[in-house]
């Protein structure tokens, strides 16, 4: 993503070899910016930022518990708990979303 390539020149970590083209650099999953001399032009992107969320859509829940599990036991497993609606898991896994 473009925002992953917005790095201050001093933060750039080399990701290519001398003379690498922009196309070759990007093909390798790296960022390319030749506007600042003396720093890597082909550089590693920032890591993707992710976070765990409890899904709002009850029909995409993936079961993390068992019938009758308590909210406390569910949360001890590191899962989400919502005792509604009927017919779907009440203890379910988080989803990972990119920010």
């Amino acid at each position: 993503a473009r925002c992953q390539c917005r790095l201050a020149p001093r933060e750039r970590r080399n990701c290519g070899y001398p003379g690498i083209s922009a196309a070759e650099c990007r093909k390798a999953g790296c960022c390319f910016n030749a506007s600042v001399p003396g720093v890597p032009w082909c550089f590693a992107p920032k890591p993707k930022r992710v976070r765990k969320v409890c899904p709002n859509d009850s029909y995409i829940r993936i079961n993390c518990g068992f019938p009758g599990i308590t909210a406390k036991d569910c949360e001890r497993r590191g899962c989400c708990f919502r005792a509604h609606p009927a017919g779907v898991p009440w203890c379910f896994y988080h989803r990972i979303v990119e920010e």
Side-chain angles (χ1 to χ4, degrees):
R2 276 191 142 146
C3 61
Q4 289 179 264
C5 291
R6 289 192 187 133
L7 287 165
R10 70 183 186 288
E11 296 174 340
R12 293 180 182 180
R13 286 181 330 190
N14 197 8
C15 192
Y17 52 86
I20 191 170
S21 71
E24 289 174 291
C25 178
R26 290 187 184 108
K27 189 175 178 182
C30 302
C31 303
F32 189 87
N33 181 333
S35 67
V36 182
V39 297
W41 290 357
C42 181
F43 53 96
K46 290 182 202 175
K48 289 183 180 180
R49 290 180 41 179
V50 295
R51 61 188 168 99
K52 294 182 355 179
V53 297
C54 294
N56 289 325
D57 184 348
S58 59
Y59 294 99
I60 63 168
R61 293 178 182 176
I62 298 172
N63 199 353
C64 182
F66 51 86
I69 192 169
T70 65
K72 191 178 228 177
D73 287 339
C74 178
E75 289 164 3
R76 273 193 202 124
R77 290 176 172 226
C79 297
C80 305
F81 186 87
R82 289 199 189 115
H84 56 79
V88 297
W90 288 1
C91 180
F92 50 96
Y93 288 101
H94 291 91
R95 295 207 49 192
I96 305 296
V97 295
E98 288 183 23
E99 295 184 324

Coordinates of all heavy atoms in Angstrom, one line a residue:
A1 N 0.8 -1.2 0.0 CA 0.0 0.0 0.0 C 0.9 1.2 0.0 O 2.0 1.2 0.6 CB -0.9 0.0 1.2
R2 N 0.4 2.3 -0.6 CA 1.2 3.5 -0.7 C 1.6 4.1 0.7 O 2.7 4.5 0.8 CB 0.3 4.6 -1.4 CG 0.4 4.5 -2.9 CD -0.3 5.8 -3.4 NE 0.5 6.2 -4.5 CZ -0.1 6.8 -5.5 NH1 -1.4 7.1 -5.5 NH2 0.6 7.2 -6.6
C3 N 0.7 4.0 1.6 CA 1.0 4.6 2.9 C 2.2 3.8 3.6 O 2.9 4.4 4.4 CB -0.2 4.6 3.8 SG -0.9 3.0 4.2
Q4 N 2.4 2.6 3.2 CA 3.5 1.8 3.8 C 4.9 2.3 3.3 O 5.9 2.0 3.9 CB 3.3 0.3 3.5 CG 2.2 -0.3 4.2 CD 2.1 -1.8 3.9 OE1 1.3 -2.1 3.0 NE2 2.9 -2.6 4.5
C5 N 4.8 3.1 2.2 CA 6.1 3.6 1.6 C 6.4 5.0 2.1 O 7.4 5.6 1.6 CB 6.0 3.5 0.1 SG 6.0 1.8 -0.5
R6 N 5.6 5.6 2.9 CA 5.8 6.9 3.4 C 6.7 6.8 4.6 O 6.3 6.7 5.7 CB 4.5 7.6 3.8 CG 3.7 8.0 2.6 CD 2.6 8.9 2.9 NE 1.7 9.1 1.8 CZ 0.4 9.0 1.8 NH1 -0.2 8.8 2.9 NH2 -0.3 9.2 0.7
L7 N 8.0 6.9 4.3 CA 9.0 6.8 5.4 C 10.0 7.9 5.2 O 10.3 8.4 4.1 CB 9.9 5.5 5.2 CG 9.2 4.2 5.6 CD1 10.0 3.0 5.0 CD2 9.1 4.1 7.1
A8 N 10.4 8.5 6.4 CA 11.5 9.5 6.3 C 12.7 8.8 5.8 O 13.0 7.7 6.0 CB 11.7 10.0 7.7
P9 N 13.5 9.6 5.0 CA 14.8 9.0 4.4 C 15.6 8.3 5.4 O 16.2 7.2 5.1 CB 15.5 10.2 3.8 CG 14.3 11.1 3.4 CD 13.3 11.0 4.5
R10 N 15.8 8.8 6.6 CA 16.6 8.2 7.6 C 16.1 6.9 8.1 O 16.8 6.1 8.8 CB 16.9 9.1 8.8 CG 15.7 9.4 9.7 CD 16.0 10.4 10.8 NE 14.9 10.6 11.7 CZ 13.7 11.2 11.4 NH1 13.5 11.7 10.2 NH2 12.8 11.3 12.3
E11 N 14.8 6.6 7.9 CA 14.2 5.4 8.4 C 14.2 4.2 7.3 O 13.8 3.1 7.6 CB 12.7 5.6 8.7 CG 12.5 6.6 9.9 CD 11.0 6.9 10.1 OE1 10.2 6.7 9.2 OE2 10.7 7.3 11.2
R12 N 14.7 4.5 6.1 CA 14.7 3.5 5.1 C 15.7 2.4 5.3 O 16.9 2.7 5.7 CB 15.1 4.2 3.7 CG 14.0 5.2 3.3 CD 14.4 5.8 1.9 NE 13.4 6.8 1.5 CZ 13.5 7.4 0.4 NH1 14.6 7.2 -0.4 NH2 12.6 8.3 0.0
R13 N 15.3 1.2 5.1 CA 16.2 0.0 5.2 C 16.3 -0.5 3.8 O 15.3 -0.8 3.1 CB 15.6 -1.0 6.1 CG 15.7 -0.7 7.6 CD 15.1 -1.8 8.4 NE 14.1 -2.4 7.5 CZ 13.2 -3.2 7.9 NH1 13.1 -3.7 9.0 NH2 12.3 -3.7 7.0
N14 N 17.5 -0.7 3.3 CA 17.8 -1.2 2.0 C 17.0 -2.5 1.7 O 17.0 -3.4 2.5 CB 19.3 -1.4 1.8 CG 19.6 -1.4 0.3 OD1 18.8 -1.2 -0.5 ND2 20.9 -1.7 0.1
C15 N 16.5 -2.5 0.5 CA 15.7 -3.7 0.1 C 16.1 -4.2 -1.3 O 15.5 -5.1 -1.9 CB 14.2 -3.3 0.1 SG 13.1 -4.7 -0.1
G16 N 17.1 -3.6 -1.9 CA 17.6 -3.9 -3.2 C 19.1 -4.0 -3.3 O 19.8 -4.2 -2.4
Y17 N 19.5 -3.9 -4.5 CA 20.9 -3.9 -4.8 C 21.3 -2.7 -5.7 O 20.4 -2.0 -6.2 CB 21.3 -5.2 -5.6 CG 20.4 -5.4 -6.8 CD1 20.8 -4.8 -8.1 CD2 19.3 -6.2 -6.8 CE1 20.0 -5.0 -9.2 CE2 18.5 -6.4 -7.9 CZ 18.8 -5.8 -9.1 OH 18.0 -6.0 -10.2
P18 N 22.5 -2.3 -5.7 CA 22.9 -1.1 -6.5 C 22.4 -1.2 -7.9 O 22.6 -2.2 -8.6 CB 24.4 -1.1 -6.4 CG 24.8 -1.8 -5.2 CD 23.7 -2.9 -5.1
G19 N 21.8 -0.2 -8.4 CA 21.3 -0.1 -9.8 C 19.9 -0.8 -10.0 O 19.5 -0.8 -11.2
I20 N 19.3 -1.2 -9.0 CA 18.0 -1.9 -9.2 C 17.0 -0.9 -9.8 O 17.0 0.3 -9.5 CB 17.4 -2.5 -7.8 CG1 16.2 -3.4 -8.1 CG2 17.1 -1.4 -6.9 CD1 15.8 -4.2 -6.9
S21 N 16.1 -1.4 -10.7 CA 15.2 -0.5 -11.3 C 13.9 -0.4 -10.4 O 13.7 -1.2 -9.5 CB 14.7 -1.0 -12.7 OG 13.9 -2.2 -12.5
A22 N 13.1 0.6 -10.6 CA 11.9 0.8 -9.9 C 11.0 -0.4 -10.0 O 10.4 -0.9 -9.1 CB 11.2 2.1 -10.3
A23 N 10.9 -0.9 -11.3 CA 10.0 -2.1 -11.5 C 10.5 -3.3 -10.8 O 9.7 -4.0 -10.2 CB 9.9 -2.3 -13.0
E24 N 11.8 -3.5 -10.8 CA 12.4 -4.7 -10.1 C 12.2 -4.6 -8.6 O 11.8 -5.6 -7.9 CB 13.8 -4.9 -10.4 CG 14.1 -5.3 -11.8 CD 15.6 -5.3 -12.1 OE1 16.2 -4.2 -12.2 OE2 16.2 -6.4 -12.2
C25 N 12.3 -3.4 -8.1 CA 12.2 -3.1 -6.7 C 10.7 -3.4 -6.2 O 10.5 -4.1 -5.3 CB 12.6 -1.7 -6.4 SG 12.4 -1.2 -4.7
R26 N 9.8 -2.9 -7.0 CA 8.4 -3.1 -6.6 C 8.0 -4.5 -6.8 O 7.2 -5.0 -6.0 CB 7.5 -2.1 -7.5 CG 7.7 -0.7 -7.0 CD 6.7 0.3 -7.7 NE 7.0 1.6 -7.4 CZ 7.5 2.5 -8.2 NH1 7.8 2.2 -9.4 NH2 7.8 3.7 -7.8
K27 N 8.5 -5.2 -7.8 CA 8.2 -6.6 -8.0 C 8.7 -7.4 -6.8 O 8.1 -8.4 -6.5 CB 8.9 -7.1 -9.3 CG 8.5 -8.5 -9.7 CD 9.2 -8.8 -11.0 CE 8.8 -10.2 -11.5 NZ 9.5 -10.6 -12.7
A28 N 9.7 -7.0 -6.1 CA 10.2 -7.7 -4.9 C 9.4 -7.3 -3.7 O 9.8 -7.8 -2.6 CB 11.7 -7.3 -4.7
G29 N 8.4 -6.5 -3.8 CA 7.6 -6.1 -2.7 C 8.1 -4.9 -1.9 O 7.7 -4.7 -0.7
C30 N 9.0 -4.2 -2.5 CA 9.6 -3.1 -1.8 C 9.1 -1.7 -2.4 O 8.4 -1.7 -3.4 CB 11.2 -3.1 -2.0 SG 11.8 -4.7 -1.4
C31 N 9.5 -0.7 -1.7 CA 9.2 0.7 -2.1 C 10.3 1.3 -2.9 O 11.5 1.0 -2.7 CB 8.9 1.6 -0.9 SG 7.7 0.9 0.2
F32 N 10.0 2.2 -3.8 CA 11.1 2.9 -4.6 C 10.8 4.4 -4.7 O 9.7 4.8 -5.0 CB 11.1 2.3 -6.1 CG 12.3 2.8 -6.8 CD1 13.5 2.1 -6.8 CD2 12.3 4.0 -7.6 CE1 14.6 2.5 -7.5 CE2 13.4 4.4 -8.3 CZ 14.6 3.7 -8.2
N33 N 11.9 5.1 -4.3 CA 11.8 6.6 -4.4 C 13.2 7.1 -4.5 O 14.0 7.0 -3.6 CB 11.1 7.2 -3.1 CG 11.0 8.7 -3.1 OD1 11.8 9.4 -3.8 ND2 10.1 9.2 -2.4
A34 N 13.5 7.6 -5.7 CA 14.8 8.1 -6.0 C 15.0 9.6 -5.8 O 16.0 10.2 -6.3 CB 15.2 7.7 -7.5
S35 N 14.2 10.2 -5.1 CA 14.2 11.7 -4.9 C 15.2 12.2 -3.9 O 15.5 13.4 -3.9 CB 12.8 12.2 -4.6 OG 12.4 11.8 -3.3
V36 N 15.7 11.3 -3.1 CA 16.7 11.8 -2.0 C 18.0 11.1 -2.2 O 18.1 9.8 -2.1 CB 16.1 11.5 -0.6 CG1 17.1 12.0 0.4 CG2 14.8 12.1 -0.4
P37 N 19.1 11.8 -2.6 CA 20.4 11.1 -2.8 C 21.0 10.7 -1.5 O 20.7 11.3 -0.4 CB 21.2 12.2 -3.5 CG 20.5 13.5 -3.2 CD 19.1 13.2 -2.9
G38 N 21.8 9.7 -1.5 CA 22.5 9.2 -0.3 C 21.8 8.3 0.6 O 22.3 8.0 1.7
V39 N 20.6 7.9 0.3 CA 19.8 7.0 1.1 C 19.3 5.9 0.1 O 19.2 6.1 -1.1 CB 18.6 7.7 1.8 CG1 19.1 8.7 2.8 CG2 17.6 8.3 0.8
P40 N 18.9 4.7 0.7 CA 18.4 3.7 -0.2 C 17.2 4.2 -1.0 O 16.3 4.8 -0.4 CB 18.0 2.6 0.8 CG 18.8 2.8 2.0 CD 19.0 4.3 2.1
W41 N 17.2 3.9 -2.3 CA 16.1 4.2 -3.1 C 15.1 3.1 -3.2 O 13.9 3.3 -3.3 CB 16.5 4.6 -4.5 CG 17.3 5.8 -4.7 CD1 17.5 6.7 -3.6 CD2 17.9 6.4 -5.8 NE1 18.3 7.8 -4.1 CE2 18.5 7.6 -5.5 CE3 18.0 6.0 -7.1 CZ2 19.2 8.4 -6.4 CZ3 18.7 6.8 -8.0 CH2 19.3 8.0 -7.7
C42 N 15.6 1.9 -3.0 CA 14.7 0.7 -2.9 C 14.7 0.3 -1.5 O 15.8 -0.1 -0.9 CB 15.2 -0.4 -3.8 SG 14.2 -1.9 -3.8
F43 N 13.6 0.4 -0.8 CA 13.6 0.2 0.7 C 12.4 -0.6 1.1 O 11.4 -0.7 0.4 CB 13.7 1.5 1.4 CG 12.7 2.5 1.0 CD1 11.5 2.7 1.7 CD2 12.9 3.3 -0.1 CE1 10.5 3.6 1.4 CE2 11.9 4.3 -0.5 CZ 10.7 4.4 0.3
A44 N 12.5 -1.2 2.3 CA 11.5 -2.1 2.9 C 10.3 -1.2 3.3 O 10.5 -0.1 3.9 CB 12.0 -2.9 4.0
P45 N 9.1 -1.6 3.0 CA 7.9 -0.9 3.5 C 7.7 -1.0 5.0 O 8.2 -1.9 5.6 CB 6.8 -1.5 2.7 CG 7.2 -2.9 2.4 CD 8.7 -2.8 2.3
K46 N 6.9 -0.1 5.5 CA 6.5 -0.2 6.9 C 5.7 -1.5 7.0 O 4.9 -1.8 6.1 CB 5.6 1.0 7.3 CG 6.2 2.3 7.4 CD 5.2 3.3 7.9 CE 5.5 4.7 7.5 NZ 4.4 5.7 7.9
P47 N 5.7 -2.1 8.2 CA 4.9 -3.3 8.3 C 3.4 -2.9 8.4 O 3.1 -1.8 8.8 CB 5.3 -3.9 9.7 CG 6.2 -2.9 10.3 CD 6.6 -1.9 9.3
K48 N 2.5 -3.8 7.9 CA 1.1 -3.5 7.9 C 0.7 -3.4 9.4 O 1.1 -4.2 10.2 CB 0.3 -4.6 7.2 CG 0.5 -4.6 5.7 CD -0.3 -5.6 5.1 CE -0.1 -5.6 3.6 NZ -0.9 -6.6 2.9
R49 N -0.2 -2.5 9.6 CA -0.8 -2.4 11.0 C -2.1 -3.1 11.0 O -3.0 -2.9 10.1 CB -1.0 -0.9 11.4 CG 0.3 -0.2 11.6 CD 0.2 1.2 12.0 NE -0.9 1.5 12.9 CZ -1.2 2.6 13.4 NH1 -0.5 3.7 13.1 NH2 -2.2 2.8 14.2
V50 N -2.2 -4.0 11.9 CA -3.5 -4.8 12.1 C -4.0 -4.7 13.5 O -3.2 -4.4 14.4 CB -3.2 -6.3 11.7 CG1 -2.8 -6.4 10.2 CG2 -2.2 -6.9 12.6
R51 N -5.2 -5.0 13.6 CA -5.8 -5.1 15.0 C -6.9 -6.2 15.0 O -7.4 -6.5 13.9 CB -6.4 -3.8 15.4 CG -7.5 -3.2 14.6 CD -7.8 -1.8 15.0 NE -8.7 -1.2 14.0 CZ -10.0 -1.1 14.1 NH1 -10.6 -1.6 15.2 NH2 -10.7 -0.6 13.2
K52 N -7.2 -6.7 16.2 CA -8.2 -7.7 16.3 C -9.5 -7.0 16.7 O -9.5 -6.1 17.6 CB -7.8 -8.7 17.4 CG -6.6 -9.5 17.1 CD -6.1 -10.6 18.0 CE -6.7 -10.7 19.3 NZ -6.1 -11.8 20.1
V53 N -10.6 -7.4 16.0 CA -11.9 -6.9 16.4 C -12.9 -8.0 16.5 O -12.7 -9.1 15.9 CB -12.4 -5.9 15.3 CG1 -11.5 -4.7 15.2 CG2 -12.5 -6.5 13.9
C54 N -13.9 -7.8 17.2 CA -15.0 -8.8 17.3 C -16.0 -8.4 16.2 O -16.5 -7.3 16.1 CB -15.8 -8.7 18.6 SG -14.7 -9.1 20.0
P55 N -16.2 -9.4 15.2 CA -17.1 -9.1 14.1 C -18.5 -8.7 14.5 O -19.1 -9.4 15.4 CB -17.0 -10.4 13.3 CG -16.5 -11.4 14.1 CD -15.8 -10.8 15.2
N56 N -19.1 -7.8 13.8 CA -20.5 -7.4 14.1 C -21.5 -8.3 13.4 O -22.6 -8.5 13.9 CB -20.7 -5.9 13.6 CG -20.0 -4.9 14.5 OD1 -19.9 -5.1 15.7 ND2 -19.5 -3.8 13.9
D57 N -21.1 -8.8 12.3 CA -22.0 -9.7 11.5 C -22.1 -11.1 12.2 O -21.1 -11.8 12.2 CB -21.6 -9.9 10.1 CG -22.5 -10.7 9.2 OD1 -23.4 -11.3 9.8 OD2 -22.3 -10.7 8.0
S58 N -23.2 -11.4 12.8 CA -23.3 -12.7 13.6 C -23.1 -13.9 12.8 O -22.8 -15.0 13.3 CB -24.6 -12.7 14.4 OG -25.7 -12.6 13.5
Y59 N -23.4 -13.8 11.5 CA -23.3 -15.0 10.6 C -21.9 -15.3 10.1 O -21.7 -16.3 9.4 CB -24.3 -14.8 9.5 CG -25.7 -14.9 10.0 CD1 -26.4 -13.7 10.2 CD2 -26.3 -16.0 10.4 CE1 -27.7 -13.7 10.8 CE2 -27.5 -16.1 11.0 CZ -28.2 -14.9 11.2 OH -29.5 -14.9 11.8
I60 N -20.9 -14.5 10.4 CA -19.5 -14.8 10.0 C -18.7 -15.3 11.2 O -17.5 -15.5 11.1 CB -18.8 -13.7 9.3 CG1 -18.7 -12.4 10.2 CG2 -19.5 -13.3 8.0 CD1 -17.8 -11.4 9.6
R61 N -19.4 -15.4 12.4 CA -18.7 -15.8 13.6 C -18.2 -17.3 13.4 O -18.8 -18.1 12.9 CB -19.6 -15.8 14.8 CG -20.1 -14.4 15.2 CD -21.1 -14.5 16.3 NE -21.5 -13.2 16.7 CZ -22.5 -13.0 17.6 NH1 -23.0 -14.0 18.3 NH2 -22.8 -11.7 17.9
I62 N -16.9 -17.5 13.9 CA -16.3 -18.8 14.0 C -16.3 -19.2 15.4 O -15.6 -18.6 16.2 CB -15.0 -18.8 13.3 CG1 -15.1 -18.4 11.8 CG2 -14.3 -20.2 13.4 CD1 -13.8 -18.1 11.1
N63 N -16.9 -20.4 15.7 CA -17.0 -20.9 17.1 C -15.7 -21.0 17.8 O -14.7 -21.6 17.2 CB -17.8 -22.2 17.0 CG -18.3 -22.5 18.4 OD1 -18.1 -21.9 19.4 ND2 -19.1 -23.6 18.4
C64 N -15.6 -20.5 19.0 CA -14.4 -20.6 19.8 C -14.7 -21.3 21.1 O -13.8 -21.4 22.0 CB -13.9 -19.2 20.1 SG -12.4 -19.1 21.0
G65 N -15.9 -21.7 21.3 CA -16.3 -22.3 22.6 C -17.1 -23.6 22.5 O -16.8 -24.4 21.6
F66 N -18.0 -23.7 23.3 CA -18.9 -24.9 23.4 C -20.2 -24.5 23.9 O -20.3 -23.4 24.6 CB -18.2 -26.0 24.2 CG -17.8 -25.6 25.6 CD1 -18.7 -25.5 26.7 CD2 -16.5 -25.1 25.8 CE1 -18.3 -25.1 27.9 CE2 -16.1 -24.6 27.1 CZ -17.0 -24.6 28.1
P67 N -21.3 -25.3 23.7 CA -22.6 -24.9 24.3 C -22.5 -24.7 25.8 O -21.9 -25.5 26.5 CB -23.5 -26.1 23.9 CG -22.8 -26.7 22.7 CD -21.3 -26.5 23.0
G68 N -23.0 -23.6 26.2 CA -23.1 -23.3 27.7 C -21.8 -22.6 28.2 O -21.7 -22.3 29.4
I69 N -20.8 -22.3 27.4 CA -19.6 -21.6 27.9 C -20.0 -20.2 28.4 O -20.9 -19.5 28.0 CB -18.6 -21.4 26.7 CG1 -17.2 -21.0 27.3 CG2 -19.1 -20.5 25.7 CD1 -16.1 -21.1 26.3
T70 N -19.4 -19.9 29.5 CA -19.6 -18.6 30.1 C -18.8 -17.5 29.4 O -17.8 -17.8 28.8 CB -19.3 -18.6 31.6 OG1 -17.9 -18.7 31.8 CG2 -20.0 -19.7 32.4
A71 N -19.2 -16.2 29.6 CA -18.5 -15.1 29.1 C -17.1 -15.1 29.6 O -16.1 -14.9 28.8 CB -19.2 -13.8 29.4
K72 N -16.9 -15.4 30.9 CA -15.6 -15.3 31.5 C -14.7 -16.4 30.9 O -13.5 -16.1 30.6 CB -15.7 -15.6 33.0 CG -14.5 -15.3 33.8 CD -14.8 -15.5 35.3 CE -14.3 -14.3 36.1 NZ -14.6 -14.4 37.5
D73 N -15.2 -17.6 30.7 CA -14.4 -18.7 30.2 C -14.1 -18.4 28.7 O -13.0 -18.7 28.2 CB -15.1 -20.1 30.3 CG -15.1 -20.6 31.7 OD1 -14.3 -20.2 32.5 OD2 -16.0 -21.5 32.0
C74 N -15.0 -17.9 28.0 CA -14.8 -17.5 26.6 C -13.6 -16.4 26.5 O -12.7 -16.6 25.7 CB -16.1 -17.0 26.0 SG -15.9 -16.4 24.3
E75 N -13.7 -15.4 27.3 CA -12.7 -14.4 27.3 C -11.4 -14.9 27.7 O -10.3 -14.4 27.2 CB -13.2 -13.2 28.1 CG -14.4 -12.5 27.3 CD -15.2 -11.5 28.2 OE1 -14.9 -11.3 29.4 OE2 -16.2 -11.0 27.7
R76 N -11.3 -15.8 28.6 CA -10.0 -16.5 29.0 C -9.4 -17.1 27.9 O -8.1 -17.2 27.8 CB -10.3 -17.5 30.1 CG -10.3 -16.9 31.5 CD -10.2 -18.0 32.5 NE -10.7 -17.5 33.8 CZ -11.7 -18.0 34.5 NH1 -12.3 -19.2 34.1 NH2 -12.1 -17.5 35.6
R77 N -10.2 -17.6 26.9 CA -9.6 -18.2 25.7 C -9.1 -17.2 24.7 O -8.6 -17.5 23.7 CB -10.7 -19.1 25.0 CG -11.1 -20.3 25.7 CD -12.2 -21.0 25.0 NE -12.5 -22.3 25.6 CZ -12.7 -23.4 25.0 NH1 -12.7 -23.4 23.6 NH2 -12.9 -24.5 25.6
G78 N -9.4 -15.9 25.0 CA -9.0 -14.8 24.1 C -10.0 -14.6 23.0 O -9.7 -14.1 21.9
C79 N -11.3 -15.0 23.2 CA -12.3 -14.8 22.2 C -13.3 -13.8 22.6 O -13.3 -13.2 23.7 CB -13.0 -16.2 22.0 SG -11.8 -17.4 21.4
C80 N -14.2 -13.5 21.7 CA -15.3 -12.6 21.8 C -16.5 -13.3 22.4 O -16.7 -14.5 22.1 CB -15.7 -11.9 20.5 SG -14.4 -11.1 19.6
F81 N -17.4 -12.6 23.2 CA -18.6 -13.2 23.7 C -19.7 -12.2 23.5 O -19.7 -11.1 24.0 CB -18.4 -13.6 25.1 CG -19.6 -14.3 25.7 CD1 -19.7 -15.7 25.6 CD2 -20.7 -13.7 26.3 CE1 -20.8 -16.4 26.0 CE2 -21.8 -14.4 26.8 CZ -21.8 -15.8 26.7
R82 N -20.8 -12.7 22.8 CA -22.0 -11.9 22.7 C -23.2 -12.9 22.8 O -23.3 -13.8 21.9 CB -22.1 -11.1 21.4 CG -21.2 -10.0 21.4 CD -21.5 -8.9 20.4 NE -20.5 -8.0 20.3 CZ -19.7 -7.8 19.2 NH1 -19.9 -8.4 18.1 NH2 -18.7 -6.9 19.3
A83 N -24.0 -12.9 23.8 CA -25.1 -13.9 24.0 C -26.3 -13.6 23.2 O -27.4 -13.6 23.7 CB -25.4 -13.9 25.5
H84 N -26.1 -13.2 22.0 CA -27.3 -13.0 21.1 C -26.7 -13.0 19.7 O -25.5 -12.8 19.5 CB -28.0 -11.7 21.4 CG -27.0 -10.5 21.4 ND1 -26.6 -9.9 20.2 CD2 -26.4 -9.9 22.4 CE1 -25.8 -8.9 20.5 NE2 -25.6 -8.9 21.8
P85 N -27.4 -13.2 18.6 CA -28.8 -13.8 18.6 C -28.7 -15.3 18.7 O -27.6 -15.9 18.8 CB -29.3 -13.4 17.2 CG -28.0 -13.3 16.3 CD -26.9 -12.9 17.3
A86 N -29.9 -15.9 18.8 CA -29.9 -17.4 18.9 C -29.5 -18.0 17.6 O -29.6 -17.4 16.5 CB -31.4 -17.8 19.2
G87 N -28.9 -19.2 17.7 CA -28.6 -20.0 16.5 C -27.2 -19.7 15.9 O -26.9 -20.2 14.8
V88 N -26.4 -18.8 16.5 CA -25.1 -18.6 16.1 C -24.1 -18.7 17.3 O -24.6 -18.6 18.4 CB -24.9 -17.2 15.4 CG1 -25.8 -17.1 14.2 CG2 -25.2 -16.1 16.4
P89 N -22.8 -18.9 17.1 CA -21.9 -19.0 18.2 C -21.9 -17.7 19.1 O -21.9 -16.6 18.5 CB -20.6 -19.2 17.6 CG -20.8 -19.8 16.2 CD -22.1 -19.2 15.8
W90 N -22.0 -17.9 20.4 CA -21.9 -16.8 21.3 C -20.4 -16.5 21.7 O -20.1 -15.4 22.1 CB -22.7 -17.0 22.5 CG -24.2 -17.0 22.2 CD1 -24.8 -16.7 21.0 CD2 -25.2 -17.1 23.2 NE1 -26.2 -16.8 21.2 CE2 -26.5 -17.0 22.5 CE3 -25.3 -17.4 24.6 CZ2 -27.7 -17.1 23.1 CZ3 -26.5 -17.5 25.2 CH2 -27.7 -17.4 24.5
C91 N -19.6 -17.5 21.6 CA -18.2 -17.4 21.9 C -17.5 -17.6 20.6 O -17.6 -18.7 19.9 CB -17.7 -18.4 22.9 SG -16.0 -18.4 23.3
F92 N -16.8 -16.6 20.1 CA -16.3 -16.7 18.7 C -14.9 -15.9 18.6 O -14.6 -15.1 19.4 CB -17.3 -16.1 17.7 CG -17.8 -14.8 18.1 CD1 -17.3 -13.6 17.5 CD2 -18.9 -14.6 18.9 CE1 -17.8 -12.3 17.9 CE2 -19.4 -13.4 19.3 CZ -18.8 -12.2 18.8
Y93 N -14.2 -16.3 17.6 CA -12.9 -15.7 17.3 C -12.9 -14.3 16.8 O -13.9 -13.9 16.2 CB -12.1 -16.5 16.3 CG -11.7 -17.9 16.8 CD1 -12.4 -19.0 16.5 CD2 -10.5 -18.0 17.7 CE1 -12.0 -20.3 17.0 CE2 -10.2 -19.3 18.1 CZ -10.9 -20.4 17.8 OH -10.5 -21.6 18.3
H94 N -11.9 -13.5 17.2 CA -11.7 -12.2 16.6 C -11.4 -12.3 15.1 O -11.0 -13.3 14.6 CB -10.5 -11.5 17.3 CG -10.7 -11.1 18.7 ND1 -10.3 -12.0 19.7 CD2 -11.1 -10.0 19.3 CE1 -10.6 -11.4 20.9 NE2 -11.1 -10.2 20.6
R95 N -11.6 -11.2 14.4 CA -11.1 -11.1 13.1 C -9.9 -10.1 13.0 O -9.9 -9.2 13.8 CB -12.2 -10.5 12.2 CG -13.4 -11.5 12.1 CD -14.2 -11.4 10.9 NE -13.4 -11.5 9.7 CZ -13.9 -11.2 8.5 NH1 -15.2 -10.9 8.4 NH2 -13.2 -11.2 7.4
I96 N -9.0 -10.3 12.2 CA -7.8 -9.4 12.0 C -8.1 -8.5 10.9 O -8.5 -8.9 9.8 CB -6.6 -10.2 11.7 CG1 -6.3 -11.3 12.8 CG2 -5.4 -9.3 11.6 CD1 -6.1 -10.8 14.2
V97 N -8.1 -7.2 11.1 CA -8.3 -6.2 10.1 C -7.1 -5.3 9.9 O -6.4 -5.0 10.9 CB -9.6 -5.3 10.3 CG1 -10.8 -6.2 10.3 CG2 -9.5 -4.6 11.7
E98 N -6.8 -4.9 8.7 CA -5.7 -3.9 8.5 C -6.2 -2.5 8.7 O -7.4 -2.2 8.4 CB -5.3 -4.0 7.0 CG -4.5 -5.3 6.7 CD -4.0 -5.3 5.3 OE1 -3.8 -4.3 4.7 OE2 -3.8 -6.4 4.8
E99 N -5.4 -1.7 9.3 CA -5.7 -0.3 9.5 C -5.2 0.6 8.4 O -4.4 0.3 7.7 CB -5.1 0.2 10.9 CG -5.7 -0.6 12.0 CD -5.2 -0.1 13.3 OE1 -4.0 0.3 13.5 OE2 -6.0 0.0 14.3

